[in-house]
Amino acid sequence: MKLLLIIVLTVVPALADDSKAIPQDSPALIGIEVGNFEEDAESVYSKLRRLIFESREKRQVRRINKAIAKRDPEAAQKALDTLVREYPDLQTITYHQATINFWKGNLDGANEGFTKAINEVEQKFPNGSVPREHQYWKENTHFLGKLYFGRGATELYQRKYTQAILDIDKAISISPEPLAYMQFNKCRAHLRIKQYKEAAEAYAS
């Protein structure tokens, strides 16, 4: 078992490449009122314009994710730069930049970015505790889990193994659907500090 666990040390920590933004406050549909033609036309135009811009946002995010999946941080950076120009207030920009920095090998920049993003989200949800009754509980906890895991994976490369384990544990506890790569990288961190029992438990989870 010890030999089997040591083999996994050769594998690069996996950063999730699926992105989901923390939803912004959305206007509620209070009701439908009869208006005049000009008001109706303006309303339809506004909705179409919003849908067009939303699709552009999602298209850029897909380009970032696709480039990251191909381990092409330069292409991802180019897509992110476009996203920043068009959507400077988007809440996931810091996350994307941190992820790109990770794959560029800029570990300090990645750690700083993930930490900044975590702090921003935790201003609203202290210690990552998103109430289950919150409208976007699953989306927010999923995003927070990715932030903690991203920092943990970065710390693993920075040889901050104890801190990496703490952050990956946090990601696992927060995520509504923890993924196998989280436990896998926790296993690798334990192996680095010769905690074989804990590594085996993480690997078997």
Side-chain angles (χ1 to χ4, degrees):
M1 174 59 78
K2 180 176 175 180
L3 178 61
L4 177 62
L5 290 173
I6 290 173
I7 291 173
V8 303
L9 286 171
T10 61
V11 181
V12 177
L15 276 175
D17 60 9
D18 54 280
S19 172
K20 185 177 292 184
I22 295 180
Q24 307 291 324
D25 291 334
S26 303
L29 224 71
I30 303 300
I32 301 175
E33 297 181 0
V34 177
N36 60 38
F37 175 79
E38 289 80 7
E39 289 175 344
D40 290 343
E42 177 64 26
S43 176
V44 170
Y45 171 77
S46 297
K47 289 177 183 177
L48 287 174
R49 187 172 183 274
R50 176 172 55 82
L51 288 172
I52 290 169
F53 274 92
E54 283 179 352
S55 66
R56 288 174 64 185
E57 173 194 333
K58 291 177 182 177
R59 185 161 56 248
Q60 290 305 324
V61 171
R62 283 195 299 272
R63 286 175 180 166
I64 294 170
N65 294 335
K66 186 176 180 180
I68 290 295
K70 292 181 177 179
R71 304 297 181 256
D72 185 354
E74 298 305 324
Q77 186 68 63
K78 184 177 179 181
L80 178 60
D81 291 344
T82 301
L83 187 68
V84 171
R85 283 195 301 272
E86 296 181 359
Y87 305 94
D89 298 323
L90 194 65
Q91 288 180 288
T92 53
I93 286 173
T94 306
Y95 163 76
H96 290 306
Q97 187 62 69
T99 304
I100 292 169
N101 284 339
F102 176 89
W103 291 111
K104 282 181 176 178
N106 179 7
L107 300 180
D108 289 340
N111 195 317
E112 181 180 341
F114 286 124
T115 299
K116 180 182 177 184
I118 288 168
N119 291 339
E120 287 174 354
V121 176
E122 289 198 344
Q123 286 180 6
K124 185 171 184 180
F125 303 113
N127 200 32
S129 57
V130 182
R132 275 189 170 265
E133 63 272 14
H134 191 278
Q135 183 180 5
Y136 297 113
W137 170 80
K138 189 170 184 178
E139 291 86 348
N140 288 341
T141 50
H142 175 75
F143 183 63
L144 257 173
K146 287 172 67 173
L147 290 176
Y148 271 105
F149 176 76
R151 189 169 69 178
T154 303
E155 289 160 343
L156 184 55
Y157 260 68
Q158 293 177 308
R159 301 181 181 180
K160 301 176 181 177
Y161 304 121
T162 301
Q163 189 58 47
I165 291 166
L166 291 174
D167 275 335
I168 295 173
D169 265 338
K170 184 76 171 178
I172 293 168
S173 68
I174 287 176
S175 299
E177 298 168 357
L179 300 175
Y181 62 74
M182 294 182 176
Q183 291 286 2
F184 183 77
N185 283 281
K186 179 183 172 182
C187 169
R188 298 181 74 239
H190 279 298
L191 282 172
R192 290 294 191 183
I193 51 179
K194 304 186 187 312
Q195 294 179 341
Y196 300 118
K197 179 174 180 272
E198 292 83 354
E201 290 171 353
Y203 188 76
S205 296

